[in-house]
Amino acid sequence: MATRLGCPLPSAIAWRSRRFYAARALQTPELRQWVEKNGGYVSSGIELTQDGQSGLGLRTTQWIPRGQTVISLPSHLPLGMRFDDTRNADSEAVQAIVNRVPEELWALRLGMKLLNEKAKENSFWWPYISLLPQRFQIPIFFSGDEIASLQYPPLIYQVKKRCKVLYELSTRDIPAVLQTCQGEKHPFAGQDVDGGALGWAMSAVSSRAFRLQNKKSGDSERVLLPLIDMCNHSFAPNSRLEQISTGDNLDYKLQVVAESSLENGTPLTLNYGALSNDLLLLDYGFIVPDNPYDRVELKYDPSLLEVACLAGGFSNQGAPSFASPPPWQQALLAQLRLQGAGASLLVTLGGPEIVDGRLLAALRILYAGDASELRHQDLKQLQAWGSQPPLGFVNERNVLRTLAAVAALVLTRSFATTAEVDRGLLETAEPSSNQQLIVSYRLGKKQMLLDVVEKLKGRLKMLKADGKVGVQDHGARKGKGFG
Ligand SMILES: C[S@@+](CC[C@H](N)C(=O)[O-])C[C@H]1O[C@@H](n2cnc3c(N)ncnc32)[C@H](O)[C@@H]1O
């Protein structure tokens, strides 16, 4: 079982029918016609294209003015859960299977619907479904060795968790439901729904679904948007998705609108959301270099702080007691939710804030000699950098040194290769290969930690350079104190 976890999806390709292998790009006029025939609109100024890096995409074939609608879909074209839809009602078996899928694996829930539609090749959505990619370069399809070579424990944990759920569903839960369905009642035309098929369905949905407001229930739901989902991602997109109410009833349409004027030949891009590289890789199979939403996650761990404190130059004597701080410090750590019931120990390094505010505040508190030092501070101030070190020069110096050592320790403890080795590997990796994706991903995390160390060292230098820093102006602060 342990070895299968890395790759429980052997037959993703075998599951697919021969007809399914037709070149996707060749079928794209059919998709356009299908959208138009079913009440949608597609501007004559856009076309589908293909490149080696991001697959299919949409591109302008003429100048498009800002604000122009380039695609419009009526509300019956998106493919969502919609079990009440009588036209393409799911069988009881599919509903029974979906009910066994954990809620957090929403993509798989919707994917089951997709598998059901796919089995009926004459389904309403077939012109769209037949264009979905045959394979996905996402970590649940990586080999065990490739998953291990991601090197970053939080992501490896997530990948293994997904693999385990898929494995259990496909070997235990789904067969239990399907063995009760024979002949015409079989929702997938007698085909096994194994880990490969399930993994395919989950990947198809996780890499393409959009979150929309359900006008009837008011809830948000994830749906697949034919043709619109051919837009690739950018954090600085040139198009936006709009959900527009039509008339007085609850009906709506979905539109892709040009955010700026677009020159001929411009790829249409949408923003998939404020997603870290972990989520982009897990769900979509790509990463964005210098992603502003990416962070390195770690657990708030007193023993790590202890080692970092010593590595930062503190002697054993005089070092704070990280594992069992005095009660006044414990009370503040609890307010930061780093201790006690309801604690949330996940903290981050990287991003514009350099380190998680809670970790910064915790260290400032732990290095404070006694509660009176904090009486003119509030927790909000302690979680931010500000122009002055809130608890004085010595406290801030200790905090910065310890944080830099934490980042360096995470770098050396978590990752089996150095950034330098990874850069060398990238020079020889095949473009668009799993190896290139994996090494780029882990190198991004390492670079982020190296940047954190550099930024903290920079702050340390500035702290020394400014003679005034460290003189606490207690008189200037009023109220809000908790000391
Ligand atoms: C919603 S689909 C977009 C259409 C897709 N390119 C296709 O071939 O069907 C999302 C997928 O497109 C690719 N993609 C989108 N934006 C990308 C980007 N900025 N860089 C690399 N790949 C991207 C990824 O494979 C992702 O899973």
Side-chain angles (χ1 to χ4, degrees), residues 33-95:
Q33 283 157 16
W34 177 77
V35 168
E36 286 169 344
K37 194 177 87 192
N38 287 289
Y41 163 78
V42 187
S43 160
S44 57
I46 63 167
E47 66 175 5
L48 268 142
T49 55
Q50 188 151 23
D51 73 40
Q53 196 65 28
S54 43
L56 292 182
L58 291 169
R59 179 175 68 184
T60 58
T61 54
Q62 62 187 49
W63 181 78
I64 304 265
R66 177 168 179 242
Q68 188 169 97
T69 298
V70 286
I71 304 176
S72 174
L73 297 185
S75 61
H76 62 279
L77 291 199
L79 174 56
M81 299 292 286
R82 297 201 295 195
F83 289 113
D84 56 337
D85 184 339
T86 47
R87 184 182 44 194
N88 275 279
D90 290 297
S91 69
E92 279 177 20
V94 170
Q95 289 196 47

Short mmCIF file of all heavy atoms in Angstrom, two decimals, residues 33-95:
data_model
loop_
_atom_site.label_atom_id
_atom_site.label_comp_id
_atom_site.label_asym_id
_atom_site.label_seq_id
_atom_site.Cartn_x
_atom_site.Cartn_y
_atom_site.Cartn_z
N GLN A 33 -18.96 25.90 -32.21
CA GLN A 33 -20.30 25.76 -32.81
C GLN A 33 -21.31 25.29 -31.76
O GLN A 33 -22.46 25.72 -31.76
CB GLN A 33 -20.25 24.75 -33.95
CG GLN A 33 -19.63 25.32 -35.22
CD GLN A 33 -19.08 24.24 -36.14
OE1 GLN A 33 -19.41 23.06 -36.00
NE2 GLN A 33 -18.22 24.64 -37.06
N TRP A 34 -20.86 24.39 -30.90
CA TRP A 34 -21.77 23.88 -29.85
C TRP A 34 -22.22 25.02 -28.93
O TRP A 34 -23.39 25.13 -28.59
CB TRP A 34 -21.02 22.80 -29.07
CG TRP A 34 -21.80 22.22 -27.91
CD1 TRP A 34 -22.80 21.31 -27.98
CD2 TRP A 34 -21.61 22.51 -26.53
NE1 TRP A 34 -23.26 21.00 -26.72
CE2 TRP A 34 -22.54 21.74 -25.80
CE3 TRP A 34 -20.76 23.36 -25.81
CZ2 TRP A 34 -22.65 21.78 -24.42
CZ3 TRP A 34 -20.86 23.39 -24.43
CH2 TRP A 34 -21.79 22.61 -23.75
N VAL A 35 -21.27 25.87 -28.56
CA VAL A 35 -21.61 27.01 -27.69
C VAL A 35 -22.62 27.91 -28.41
O VAL A 35 -23.66 28.30 -27.84
CB VAL A 35 -20.33 27.81 -27.31
CG1 VAL A 35 -20.70 29.14 -26.66
CG2 VAL A 35 -19.45 26.99 -26.38
N GLU A 36 -22.35 28.21 -29.67
CA GLU A 36 -23.22 29.13 -30.40
C GLU A 36 -24.61 28.51 -30.64
O GLU A 36 -25.63 29.17 -30.48
CB GLU A 36 -22.57 29.51 -31.73
CG GLU A 36 -21.41 30.49 -31.51
CD GLU A 36 -20.54 30.74 -32.74
OE1 GLU A 36 -20.62 29.94 -33.70
OE2 GLU A 36 -19.78 31.71 -32.72
N LYS A 37 -24.61 27.21 -30.96
CA LYS A 37 -25.89 26.53 -31.23
C LYS A 37 -26.77 26.52 -29.98
O LYS A 37 -27.99 26.52 -30.05
CB LYS A 37 -25.59 25.08 -31.65
CG LYS A 37 -26.77 24.37 -32.28
CD LYS A 37 -26.38 22.99 -32.73
CE LYS A 37 -26.53 22.00 -31.60
NZ LYS A 37 -25.95 20.70 -31.83
N ASN A 38 -26.11 26.54 -28.80
CA ASN A 38 -26.87 26.45 -27.56
C ASN A 38 -27.06 27.79 -26.87
O ASN A 38 -27.20 27.87 -25.64
CB ASN A 38 -26.20 25.44 -26.61
CG ASN A 38 -26.43 24.02 -27.09
OD1 ASN A 38 -27.54 23.51 -27.02
ND2 ASN A 38 -25.39 23.41 -27.62
N GLY A 39 -27.07 28.84 -27.65
CA GLY A 39 -27.43 30.16 -27.13
C GLY A 39 -26.27 30.98 -26.60
O GLY A 39 -26.48 32.04 -26.02
N GLY A 40 -25.03 30.52 -26.81
CA GLY A 40 -23.87 31.29 -26.36
C GLY A 40 -23.35 32.19 -27.46
O GLY A 40 -23.83 32.15 -28.59
N TYR A 41 -22.38 33.02 -27.10
CA TYR A 41 -21.76 33.92 -28.08
C TYR A 41 -20.25 33.79 -27.99
O TYR A 41 -19.68 33.74 -26.90
CB TYR A 41 -22.18 35.37 -27.78
CG TYR A 41 -21.31 36.40 -28.45
CD1 TYR A 41 -21.46 36.69 -29.81
CD2 TYR A 41 -20.29 37.05 -27.75
CE1 TYR A 41 -20.64 37.61 -30.44
CE2 TYR A 41 -19.46 37.96 -28.36
CZ TYR A 41 -19.64 38.24 -29.72
OH TYR A 41 -18.82 39.14 -30.33
N VAL A 42 -19.60 33.71 -29.15
CA VAL A 42 -18.14 33.69 -29.19
C VAL A 42 -17.70 34.74 -30.21
O VAL A 42 -18.10 34.68 -31.38
CB VAL A 42 -17.59 32.31 -29.63
CG1 VAL A 42 -16.07 32.28 -29.49
CG2 VAL A 42 -18.21 31.19 -28.82
N SER A 43 -16.91 35.69 -29.77
CA SER A 43 -16.46 36.76 -30.67
C SER A 43 -15.69 36.17 -31.85
O SER A 43 -14.90 35.23 -31.69
CB SER A 43 -15.56 37.72 -29.88
OG SER A 43 -14.76 38.46 -30.77
N SER A 44 -15.89 36.77 -33.02
CA SER A 44 -15.13 36.30 -34.19
C SER A 44 -13.68 36.73 -34.07
O SER A 44 -12.83 36.30 -34.85
CB SER A 44 -15.75 36.87 -35.47
OG SER A 44 -15.76 38.28 -35.37
N GLY A 45 -13.37 37.55 -33.07
CA GLY A 45 -12.00 38.05 -32.90
C GLY A 45 -11.15 37.19 -31.97
O GLY A 45 -10.10 37.64 -31.51
N ILE A 46 -11.62 35.97 -31.65
CA ILE A 46 -10.76 35.08 -30.84
C ILE A 46 -10.69 33.69 -31.46
O ILE A 46 -11.58 33.28 -32.18
CB ILE A 46 -11.23 34.96 -29.36
CG1 ILE A 46 -12.62 34.33 -29.27
CG2 ILE A 46 -11.19 36.29 -28.66
CD1 ILE A 46 -12.99 33.90 -27.86
N GLU A 47 -9.60 32.99 -31.15
CA GLU A 47 -9.44 31.62 -31.65
C GLU A 47 -8.72 30.77 -30.60
O GLU A 47 -8.08 31.30 -29.69
CB GLU A 47 -8.62 31.61 -32.94
CG GLU A 47 -7.17 32.05 -32.73
CD GLU A 47 -6.31 31.93 -33.97
OE1 GLU A 47 -6.82 31.60 -35.04
OE2 GLU A 47 -5.09 32.18 -33.85
N LEU A 48 -8.84 29.46 -30.75
CA LEU A 48 -8.10 28.55 -29.86
C LEU A 48 -6.71 28.31 -30.41
O LEU A 48 -6.53 28.18 -31.63
CB LEU A 48 -8.86 27.23 -29.74
CG LEU A 48 -9.81 27.22 -28.55
CD1 LEU A 48 -11.07 26.50 -28.89
CD2 LEU A 48 -9.15 26.60 -27.33
N THR A 49 -5.75 28.27 -29.51
CA THR A 49 -4.37 28.02 -29.93
C THR A 49 -3.76 26.97 -29.01
O THR A 49 -4.37 26.59 -28.01
CB THR A 49 -3.50 29.29 -29.79
OG1 THR A 49 -3.60 29.74 -28.45
CG2 THR A 49 -3.92 30.35 -30.76
N GLN A 50 -2.57 26.56 -29.31
CA GLN A 50 -1.92 25.54 -28.48
C GLN A 50 -0.44 25.90 -28.36
O GLN A 50 0.18 26.29 -29.36
CB GLN A 50 -2.06 24.18 -29.16
CG GLN A 50 -1.60 23.04 -28.30
CD GLN A 50 -2.36 21.75 -28.64
OE1 GLN A 50 -2.89 21.61 -29.73
NE2 GLN A 50 -2.41 20.84 -27.70
N ASP A 51 0.11 25.78 -27.15
CA ASP A 51 1.57 25.90 -27.03
C ASP A 51 2.09 24.83 -26.08
O ASP A 51 1.32 24.18 -25.36
CB ASP A 51 2.01 27.32 -26.61
CG ASP A 51 1.71 27.62 -25.16
OD1 ASP A 51 1.89 26.72 -24.32
OD2 ASP A 51 1.29 28.74 -24.85
N GLY A 52 3.42 24.63 -26.10
CA GLY A 52 4.01 23.54 -25.34
C GLY A 52 3.97 23.76 -23.84
O GLY A 52 4.01 22.82 -23.05
N GLN A 53 3.85 25.00 -23.41
CA GLN A 53 3.95 25.33 -21.99
C GLN A 53 2.62 25.21 -21.26
O GLN A 53 2.53 24.59 -20.21
CB GLN A 53 4.51 26.77 -21.87
CG GLN A 53 5.03 27.14 -20.50
CD GLN A 53 6.27 26.31 -20.13
OE1 GLN A 53 7.02 25.88 -20.99
NE2 GLN A 53 6.45 26.09 -18.84
N SER A 54 1.55 25.79 -21.83
CA SER A 54 0.28 25.82 -21.10
C SER A 54 -0.86 25.12 -21.84
O SER A 54 -2.01 25.26 -21.46
CB SER A 54 -0.10 27.26 -20.76
OG SER A 54 0.14 28.11 -21.84
N GLY A 55 -0.56 24.37 -22.88
CA GLY A 55 -1.61 23.61 -23.58
C GLY A 55 -2.47 24.51 -24.45
O GLY A 55 -1.99 25.47 -25.05
N LEU A 56 -3.78 24.18 -24.50
CA LEU A 56 -4.68 25.01 -25.29
C LEU A 56 -4.90 26.34 -24.60
O LEU A 56 -4.80 26.45 -23.38
CB LEU A 56 -6.03 24.32 -25.47
CG LEU A 56 -6.09 23.05 -26.32
CD1 LEU A 56 -7.52 22.54 -26.41
CD2 LEU A 56 -5.54 23.30 -27.72
N GLY A 57 -5.22 27.34 -25.41
CA GLY A 57 -5.52 28.66 -24.86
C GLY A 57 -6.33 29.44 -25.87
O GLY A 57 -6.54 29.00 -27.00
N LEU A 58 -6.82 30.60 -25.45
CA LEU A 58 -7.56 31.47 -26.36
C LEU A 58 -6.69 32.67 -26.69
O LEU A 58 -5.95 33.16 -25.84
CB LEU A 58 -8.87 31.93 -25.71
CG LEU A 58 -9.93 30.84 -25.52
CD1 LEU A 58 -11.06 31.35 -24.64
CD2 LEU A 58 -10.48 30.37 -26.86
N ARG A 59 -6.84 33.15 -27.93
CA ARG A 59 -5.99 34.27 -28.37
C ARG A 59 -6.82 35.17 -29.29
O ARG A 59 -7.72 34.69 -29.98
CB ARG A 59 -4.81 33.67 -29.15
CG ARG A 59 -3.84 34.66 -29.69
CD ARG A 59 -2.67 33.97 -30.31
NE ARG A 59 -3.01 33.23 -31.53
CZ ARG A 59 -2.16 32.48 -32.21
NH1 ARG A 59 -0.93 32.31 -31.79
NH2 ARG A 59 -2.54 31.85 -33.31
N THR A 60 -6.51 36.45 -29.28
CA THR A 60 -7.24 37.37 -30.16
C THR A 60 -6.72 37.25 -31.59
O THR A 60 -5.54 36.99 -31.80
CB THR A 60 -7.08 38.83 -29.70
OG1 THR A 60 -5.68 39.14 -29.70
CG2 THR A 60 -7.63 39.05 -28.30
N THR A 61 -7.62 37.44 -32.55
CA THR A 61 -7.19 37.45 -33.97
C THR A 61 -7.39 38.85 -34.56
O THR A 61 -7.26 39.05 -35.75
CB THR A 61 -8.02 36.44 -34.79
OG1 THR A 61 -9.41 36.74 -34.59
CG2 THR A 61 -7.72 35.02 -34.38
N GLN A 62 -7.77 39.79 -33.70
CA GLN A 62 -7.90 41.18 -34.13
C GLN A 62 -7.85 42.06 -32.87
O GLN A 62 -7.90 41.54 -31.76
CB GLN A 62 -9.23 41.39 -34.86
CG GLN A 62 -10.44 41.11 -33.98
CD GLN A 62 -11.76 41.15 -34.73
OE1 GLN A 62 -11.89 40.53 -35.79
NE2 GLN A 62 -12.72 41.87 -34.20
N TRP A 63 -7.77 43.35 -33.08
CA TRP A 63 -7.76 44.26 -31.93
C TRP A 63 -9.12 44.20 -31.24
O TRP A 63 -10.17 44.21 -31.91
CB TRP A 63 -7.46 45.68 -32.44
CG TRP A 63 -7.40 46.68 -31.33
CD1 TRP A 63 -6.38 46.90 -30.47
CD2 TRP A 63 -8.44 47.62 -30.98
NE1 TRP A 63 -6.70 47.90 -29.59
CE2 TRP A 63 -7.96 48.37 -29.88
CE3 TRP A 63 -9.72 47.89 -31.47
CZ2 TRP A 63 -8.71 49.38 -29.28
CZ3 TRP A 63 -10.46 48.91 -30.86
CH2 TRP A 63 -9.95 49.63 -29.78
N ILE A 64 -9.13 44.10 -29.93
CA ILE A 64 -10.39 44.03 -29.16
C ILE A 64 -10.40 45.23 -28.20
O ILE A 64 -9.46 45.39 -27.41
CB ILE A 64 -10.47 42.73 -28.32
CG1 ILE A 64 -10.29 41.49 -29.19
CG2 ILE A 64 -11.71 42.68 -27.46
CD1 ILE A 64 -11.53 40.82 -29.68
N PRO A 65 -11.45 46.05 -28.26
CA PRO A 65 -11.48 47.20 -27.34
C PRO A 65 -11.75 46.78 -25.90
O PRO A 65 -12.38 45.74 -25.65
CB PRO A 65 -12.63 48.06 -27.88
CG PRO A 65 -13.49 47.14 -28.66
CD PRO A 65 -12.63 46.01 -29.14
N ARG A 66 -11.27 47.59 -24.98
CA ARG A 66 -11.51 47.36 -23.55
C ARG A 66 -13.02 47.30 -23.28
O ARG A 66 -13.78 48.09 -23.84
CB ARG A 66 -10.89 48.54 -22.80
CG ARG A 66 -11.11 48.48 -21.34
CD ARG A 66 -10.23 49.50 -20.64
NE ARG A 66 -10.47 49.44 -19.23
CZ ARG A 66 -10.94 50.44 -18.50
NH1 ARG A 66 -11.18 51.60 -19.05
NH2 ARG A 66 -11.14 50.28 -17.22
N GLY A 67 -13.43 46.35 -22.45
CA GLY A 67 -14.84 46.25 -22.06
C GLY A 67 -15.66 45.38 -23.01
O GLY A 67 -16.83 45.11 -22.72
N GLN A 68 -15.07 44.94 -24.12
CA GLN A 68 -15.86 44.13 -25.05
C GLN A 68 -16.02 42.69 -24.53
O GLN A 68 -15.08 42.12 -23.99
CB GLN A 68 -15.19 44.08 -26.43
CG GLN A 68 -16.09 43.40 -27.46
CD GLN A 68 -15.57 43.58 -28.87
OE1 GLN A 68 -14.91 42.69 -29.39
NE2 GLN A 68 -15.83 44.72 -29.48
N THR A 69 -17.23 42.16 -24.71
CA THR A 69 -17.48 40.76 -24.33
C THR A 69 -16.96 39.85 -25.44
O THR A 69 -17.30 40.05 -26.60
CB THR A 69 -19.00 40.53 -24.15
OG1 THR A 69 -19.43 41.39 -23.09
CG2 THR A 69 -19.32 39.09 -23.80
N VAL A 70 -16.14 38.88 -25.06
CA VAL A 70 -15.60 37.98 -26.09
C VAL A 70 -16.26 36.59 -26.05
O VAL A 70 -16.29 35.89 -27.05
CB VAL A 70 -14.05 37.84 -26.00
CG1 VAL A 70 -13.37 39.09 -26.50
CG2 VAL A 70 -13.59 37.48 -24.62
N ILE A 71 -16.76 36.20 -24.88
CA ILE A 71 -17.52 34.93 -24.79
C ILE A 71 -18.70 35.18 -23.86
O ILE A 71 -18.56 35.87 -22.84
CB ILE A 71 -16.68 33.78 -24.18
CG1 ILE A 71 -15.39 33.56 -24.96
CG2 ILE A 71 -17.49 32.48 -24.14
CD1 ILE A 71 -14.48 32.50 -24.34
N SER A 72 -19.84 34.61 -24.20
CA SER A 72 -20.98 34.67 -23.29
C SER A 72 -21.65 33.30 -23.27
O SER A 72 -21.90 32.71 -24.32
CB SER A 72 -21.95 35.75 -23.79
OG SER A 72 -23.11 35.74 -23.02
N LEU A 73 -21.88 32.77 -22.08
CA LEU A 73 -22.53 31.46 -21.95
C LEU A 73 -23.86 31.61 -21.21
O LEU A 73 -23.89 32.23 -20.14
CB LEU A 73 -21.68 30.48 -21.12
CG LEU A 73 -20.30 30.05 -21.61
CD1 LEU A 73 -19.74 28.98 -20.67
CD2 LEU A 73 -20.34 29.52 -23.03
N PRO A 74 -24.94 31.04 -21.73
CA PRO A 74 -26.19 31.02 -20.95
C PRO A 74 -26.04 30.04 -19.78
O PRO A 74 -25.15 29.18 -19.80
CB PRO A 74 -27.24 30.54 -21.96
CG PRO A 74 -26.47 29.80 -23.00
CD PRO A 74 -25.07 30.37 -23.03
N SER A 75 -26.93 30.15 -18.81
CA SER A 75 -26.74 29.41 -17.55
C SER A 75 -26.90 27.90 -17.69
O SER A 75 -26.54 27.16 -16.78
CB SER A 75 -27.70 29.92 -16.48
OG SER A 75 -29.02 29.71 -16.93
N HIS A 76 -27.43 27.42 -18.83
CA HIS A 76 -27.57 25.95 -18.93
C HIS A 76 -26.32 25.29 -19.51
O HIS A 76 -26.27 24.07 -19.61
CB HIS A 76 -28.81 25.57 -19.75
CG HIS A 76 -28.77 26.04 -21.17
ND1 HIS A 76 -29.09 27.32 -21.54
CD2 HIS A 76 -28.43 25.40 -22.31
CE1 HIS A 76 -28.95 27.45 -22.86
NE2 HIS A 76 -28.55 26.30 -23.34
N LEU A 77 -25.30 26.05 -19.88
CA LEU A 77 -24.09 25.41 -20.43
C LEU A 77 -23.05 25.02 -19.37
O LEU A 77 -22.35 24.03 -19.55
CB LEU A 77 -23.43 26.30 -21.49
CG LEU A 77 -24.21 26.46 -22.80
CD1 LEU A 77 -23.30 26.96 -23.91
CD2 LEU A 77 -24.86 25.17 -23.24
N PRO A 78 -22.91 25.77 -18.27
CA PRO A 78 -21.97 25.32 -17.23
C PRO A 78 -22.34 23.93 -16.71
O PRO A 78 -23.52 23.59 -16.60
CB PRO A 78 -22.12 26.36 -16.13
CG PRO A 78 -22.56 27.58 -16.85
CD PRO A 78 -23.44 27.09 -17.96
N LEU A 79 -21.30 23.16 -16.41
CA LEU A 79 -21.51 21.79 -15.92
C LEU A 79 -21.15 21.74 -14.44
O LEU A 79 -19.99 21.87 -14.07
CB LEU A 79 -20.62 20.85 -16.73
CG LEU A 79 -20.53 19.38 -16.35
CD1 LEU A 79 -21.90 18.73 -16.34
CD2 LEU A 79 -19.64 18.64 -17.32
N GLY A 80 -22.22 21.59 -13.61
CA GLY A 80 -21.98 21.56 -12.17
C GLY A 80 -22.55 20.29 -11.57
O GLY A 80 -22.77 19.31 -12.29
N MET A 81 -22.80 20.28 -10.27
CA MET A 81 -23.33 19.08 -9.63
C MET A 81 -24.76 18.81 -10.13
O MET A 81 -25.05 17.79 -10.69
CB MET A 81 -23.34 19.24 -8.12
CG MET A 81 -21.96 19.44 -7.52
SD MET A 81 -20.91 17.99 -7.64
CE MET A 81 -21.64 16.95 -6.41
N ARG A 82 -25.64 19.78 -9.91
CA ARG A 82 -27.00 19.79 -10.45
C ARG A 82 -27.66 18.43 -10.61
O ARG A 82 -28.04 18.02 -11.69
CB ARG A 82 -26.99 20.51 -11.81
CG ARG A 82 -26.58 21.95 -11.67
CD ARG A 82 -27.05 22.74 -12.83
NE ARG A 82 -26.41 22.35 -14.07
CZ ARG A 82 -26.43 23.08 -15.17
NH1 ARG A 82 -27.05 24.23 -15.18
NH2 ARG A 82 -25.83 22.68 -16.27
N PHE A 83 -27.81 17.74 -9.49
CA PHE A 83 -28.44 16.43 -9.58
C PHE A 83 -29.93 16.52 -9.87
O PHE A 83 -30.56 15.54 -10.18
CB PHE A 83 -28.20 15.65 -8.28
CG PHE A 83 -26.78 15.23 -8.16
CD1 PHE A 83 -25.96 15.76 -7.19
CD2 PHE A 83 -26.25 14.33 -9.05
CE1 PHE A 83 -24.65 15.38 -7.10
CE2 PHE A 83 -24.93 13.95 -8.98
CZ PHE A 83 -24.13 14.48 -8.00
N ASP A 84 -30.48 17.74 -9.75
CA ASP A 84 -31.91 17.90 -10.01
C ASP A 84 -32.19 18.10 -11.50
O ASP A 84 -33.31 18.19 -11.93
CB ASP A 84 -32.46 19.08 -9.21
CG ASP A 84 -31.69 20.36 -9.52
OD1 ASP A 84 -30.53 20.25 -9.97
OD2 ASP A 84 -32.26 21.44 -9.34
N ASP A 85 -31.13 18.17 -12.29
CA ASP A 85 -31.30 18.41 -13.72
C ASP A 85 -31.83 17.15 -14.39
O ASP A 85 -31.13 16.15 -14.53
CB ASP A 85 -29.93 18.81 -14.31
CG ASP A 85 -30.04 19.19 -15.76
OD1 ASP A 85 -31.03 18.78 -16.40
OD2 ASP A 85 -29.15 19.88 -16.25
N THR A 86 -33.09 17.18 -14.81
CA THR A 86 -33.70 15.96 -15.33
C THR A 86 -33.13 15.57 -16.70
O THR A 86 -33.09 14.41 -17.05
CB THR A 86 -35.22 16.14 -15.46
OG1 THR A 86 -35.44 17.39 -16.09
CG2 THR A 86 -35.89 16.08 -14.12
N ARG A 87 -32.65 16.57 -17.44
CA ARG A 87 -32.15 16.26 -18.78
C ARG A 87 -30.96 15.30 -18.72
O ARG A 87 -30.81 14.41 -19.51
CB ARG A 87 -31.73 17.56 -19.48
CG ARG A 87 -31.29 17.34 -20.90
CD ARG A 87 -30.84 18.64 -21.51
NE ARG A 87 -30.01 19.36 -20.55
CZ ARG A 87 -29.69 20.63 -20.67
NH1 ARG A 87 -30.16 21.32 -21.66
NH2 ARG A 87 -28.91 21.21 -19.79
N ASN A 88 -30.08 15.55 -17.73
CA ASN A 88 -28.91 14.68 -17.61
C ASN A 88 -28.80 14.15 -16.18
O ASN A 88 -27.78 14.26 -15.53
CB ASN A 88 -27.64 15.46 -17.97
CG ASN A 88 -27.41 15.45 -19.46
OD1 ASN A 88 -26.89 14.49 -20.02
ND2 ASN A 88 -27.84 16.51 -20.11
N ALA A 89 -29.92 13.64 -15.70
CA ALA A 89 -29.95 13.21 -14.30
C ALA A 89 -28.92 12.10 -14.05
O ALA A 89 -28.71 11.24 -14.88
CB ALA A 89 -31.34 12.70 -13.96
N ASP A 90 -28.29 12.18 -12.90
CA ASP A 90 -27.35 11.13 -12.55
C ASP A 90 -28.10 9.94 -11.99
O ASP A 90 -29.18 10.07 -11.42
CB ASP A 90 -26.39 11.64 -11.47
CG ASP A 90 -25.47 12.67 -12.05
OD1 ASP A 90 -24.69 12.32 -12.94
OD2 ASP A 90 -25.56 13.83 -11.63
N SER A 91 -27.50 8.79 -12.15
CA SER A 91 -28.14 7.61 -11.61
C SER A 91 -28.00 7.61 -10.09
O SER A 91 -27.16 8.32 -9.53
CB SER A 91 -27.46 6.36 -12.17
OG SER A 91 -26.17 6.28 -11.63
N GLU A 92 -28.83 6.81 -9.46
CA GLU A 92 -28.73 6.70 -8.00
C GLU A 92 -27.36 6.23 -7.59
O GLU A 92 -26.83 6.62 -6.55
CB GLU A 92 -29.78 5.72 -7.49
CG GLU A 92 -31.15 6.33 -7.37
CD GLU A 92 -32.18 5.32 -6.94
OE1 GLU A 92 -31.80 4.28 -6.39
OE2 GLU A 92 -33.37 5.58 -7.17
N ALA A 93 -26.76 5.36 -8.44
CA ALA A 93 -25.43 4.82 -8.09
C ALA A 93 -24.41 5.94 -8.02
O ALA A 93 -23.58 5.98 -7.11
CB ALA A 93 -25.01 3.77 -9.11
N VAL A 94 -24.47 6.86 -9.00
CA VAL A 94 -23.49 7.95 -8.98
C VAL A 94 -23.71 8.82 -7.74
O VAL A 94 -22.76 9.21 -7.06
CB VAL A 94 -23.57 8.80 -10.27
CG1 VAL A 94 -22.73 10.06 -10.14
CG2 VAL A 94 -23.09 7.99 -11.45
N GLN A 95 -24.98 9.06 -7.43
CA GLN A 95 -25.24 9.86 -6.22
C GLN A 95 -24.71 9.15 -4.98
O GLN A 95 -24.15 9.77 -4.09
CB GLN A 95 -26.73 10.12 -6.07
CG GLN A 95 -27.22 11.10 -7.11
CD GLN A 95 -28.58 11.66 -6.76
OE1 GLN A 95 -28.80 12.07 -5.63
NE2 GLN A 95 -29.48 11.67 -7.71
#
